[in-house]
Amino acid sequence: MRVMPPEGGKLSENVPAHVVVAGAGLIGLATALELRRRGTAVTVVDPRPAWGATRAAAGMLAPVAETQYGQERLYPLMRASAAEYPQFVERVAEATGLPAGYRTEETLVVAADAADARSLSDLASHQIASGMDVEEISTREARSLEPALAPRLGGAVRIVSDRQVDPRMLATAMVEALNAPLLDTLGSTPDPGPVTWLTHRVESVHVPRKGPHAAAGVVLDDGTRIPADAVVVAAGLTANTVGGLPEDLDLRLRPVFGDILRLRVPDSVLAPGEEHLLTRTVRAQVLGRPVYMVPRADRTLVLGATSREDGRESVLAGGVHQLLRDARTVVPAIDDCDVLEMMARARPGTPDDLPYLGATSVPGLVVSTGHFRHGILLTPVASRLAAELVTGVLDPDVDHAKDAGFLAATDPARHCGSDEPTDPTPMLGGLA
């Protein structure tokens, strides 16, 4: 049952006193913060917080540009989370005074040639038909917005509502918020204090199956038992390796790797008065392949969009070659940038590309994983829903009308006993 804290009153007695969050990617960190806002003491367990897909992610908050055919059930969730982002990052900034790298510049999507332009126009028509704000513009207009674009392009689309965030900056600020006194709590909820950090891995969930919160703790990889009133499994790809999960939970996670580069823009490629090579996110189709370039405030660029399911954790030479080749086709000055970093990370994919987010058959046990390419974008709504499921305490500043529909679509038990294939054709796209 969900309850609202009465004005000036106390929280429901069913709110758990202590919750363990297994996993400290951006979603795990945000879930811990949302639980603290609801008066719950939290222990976060992760061998290396914010080091997995969060570390590599480009941070595009692109519910429109990230739209893919056949993902209609995902669109509302993406749009809802994007709408919650400004308030979400504001809370983190207020708690710490640290920047989250949230930027409101629009996104340009360009096509390298006529065939790419037809594909881009078809997708834009699909997006417009789905009620999204997309504007097809001329390549001349695109180059007036971003002069660094190549002179010969096949087409362009402008998406004014898409945003970006720097996941590394946001994770740093969130860790600080979890360690600091929290001023923004719900109702009269007292701050339970900073979280407890354990640099271990959750080996199993201990489930006695009794009481209102039956997930009574976790066992760590060193054998230590940590008691808790509830558990949130937000461990990304390793969520389905956690022991003790109920038998009716079939988390069909698969690793989808992506190569990503970080470049520094030197003074030599900038015209007088320019502060960066690009001022907004530029996405492109080059011979049918996606590539994106995300500018950061420190005058670096994030390049990405390879996607592979070969199980190889290393950066592939072919992936690096593809990213640089396609990026320079769209922005020729890429050739003169400095390579700062090359990285590969795996994202947790699911058979239908929807996350596993929701309560389980064990009271007090909540799962939040499988966010695939949209983990950064879905962070606000995923963390809020998980915290609400655990505590029953709703955020009064959020419209909850669609929450039931979201949770029905992301039910963690939806694939139990299903014959749905576990290895679909990989979707195009990078570490968003």
Side-chain angles (χ1 to χ4, degrees):
M1 178 181 68
R2 293 177 175 178
V3 296
M4 286 288 293
E7 185 69 27
K10 296 182 178 181
L11 292 173
S12 164
E13 62 182 11
N14 289 329
V15 173
H18 175 227
V19 179
V20 168
V21 176
L26 203 59
I27 285 178
L29 294 173
T31 300
L33 187 62
E34 289 299 313
L35 288 165
R36 268 193 72 192
R37 293 182 67 222
R38 289 160 173 79
T40 296
V42 181
T43 295
V44 176
V45 184
D46 194 299
R48 201 168 186 182
W51 192 253
T54 296
R55 181 71 179 172
M60 293 177 292
L61 309 178
V64 178
E66 284 286 317
T67 297
Q68 301 286 341
Y69 297 110
Q71 286 195 326
E72 286 74 14
R73 288 190 299 165
L74 189 55
Y75 300 166
L77 193 64
M78 294 164 66
R79 283 187 274 190
S81 200
E84 293 183 29
Y85 238 102
Q87 189 177 52
F88 170 72
V89 294
E90 183 179 351
R91 283 198 300 269
V92 176
E94 287 179 351
T96 65
L98 296 176
Y102 180 71
R103 297 175 58 172
T104 59
E105 291 91 347
E106 63 192 14
T107 293
L108 284 182
V109 188
V110 299
D113 60 21
D116 290 321
R118 287 192 293 271
S119 176
L120 180 60
S121 182
D122 288 345
L123 181 58
S125 297
H126 172 71
Q127 292 164 330
I128 293 169
S130 299
M132 300 179 186
D133 186 11
V134 176
E135 178 188 1
E136 293 193 68
I137 62 175
S138 68
T139 56
R140 182 187 297 272
E141 289 176 283
R143 293 195 70 237
S144 70
L145 295 170
E146 292 292 347
L149 289 172
R152 293 183 180 180
L153 293 171
V157 163
R158 187 178 186 181
I159 303 173
V160 299
S161 59
D162 281 357
R163 307 286 185 249
Q164 67 147 296
V165 71
D166 187 330
R168 295 184 182 183
M169 293 178 68
L170 180 55
T172 298
M174 206 167 302
V175 169
E176 182 64 25
L178 290 170
N179 290 331
L182 193 61
L183 302 178
D184 178 27
T185 58
L186 294 178
S188 59
T189 307
D191 180 8
V195 305
T196 299
W197 300 91
L198 298 176
T199 53
H200 287 273
R201 183 176 59 83
V202 170
E203 188 75 24
S204 63
V205 177
H206 177 57
V207 182
R209 300 178 184 276
K210 62 181 179 180
H213 300 286
V218 300
V219 178
L220 305 184
D221 52 5
D222 66 352
T224 303
R225 185 182 295 272
I226 306 298
D229 301 299
V231 175
V232 178
V233 177
L237 270 171
T238 62
N240 58 1
T241 68
V242 174
L245 298 179
E247 293 182 358
D248 62 352
L249 202 61
D250 185 8
L251 302 180
R252 302 187 184 184
L253 300 170
R254 72 186 196 281
V256 183
F257 288 87
D259 304 300
I260 199 161
L261 307 180
R262 279 176 168 77
L263 311 180
R264 177 186 289 119
V265 178
D267 292 337
S268 59
V269 306
L270 300 179
E274 286 186 336
E275 296 182 358
H276 207 303
L277 184 62
L278 298 174
T279 59
R280 48 179 64 72
T281 297
V282 173
R283 304 171 70 109
Q285 288 286 327
V286 181
L287 299 178
R289 295 182 299 267
V291 65
Y292 58 70
M293 289 150 279
V294 184
R296 295 282 194 246
D298 61 357
R299 203 195 285 177
T300 59
L301 277 174
V302 181
L303 266 62
T306 66
S307 186
R308 51 190 172 82
E309 300 192 39
D310 54 9
R312 299 176 64 183
E313 298 182 2
S314 58
V315 178
L316 297 192
V320 174
H321 173 68
Q322 175 185 317
L323 290 176
L324 292 174
R325 177 193 59 206
D326 292 348
R328 72 184 294 273
T329 298
V330 178
V331 180
I334 289 292
D335 276 352
D336 295 314
C337 293
D338 305 319
V339 178
L340 297 180
E341 184 179 75
M342 297 182 289
M343 181 177 292
R345 287 292 190 271
R347 299 142 294 180
T350 67
D352 54 11
D353 296 321
L354 285 162
Y356 292 123
L357 171 61
T360 68
S361 59
V362 175
L365 178 61
V366 170
V367 169
S368 182
T369 187
H371 298 88
F372 194 27
R373 293 164 44 241
H374 308 296
I376 306 302
L377 170 59
L378 295 179
T379 291
V381 73
S383 58
R384 175 180 63 80
L385 288 172
E388 289 173 355
L389 288 169
V390 170
T391 65
V393 180
L394 300 182
D395 188 333
D397 295 326
V398 175
D399 181 3
H400 299 274
K402 296 182 180 179
D403 287 357
F406 295 157
L407 292 171
T410 62
D411 179 7
R414 67 184 182 274
H415 291 138
C416 185
S418 169
D419 294 328
E420 189 169 354
T422 59
D423 186 23
T425 301
M427 288 173 48
L428 294 176
L431 285 152

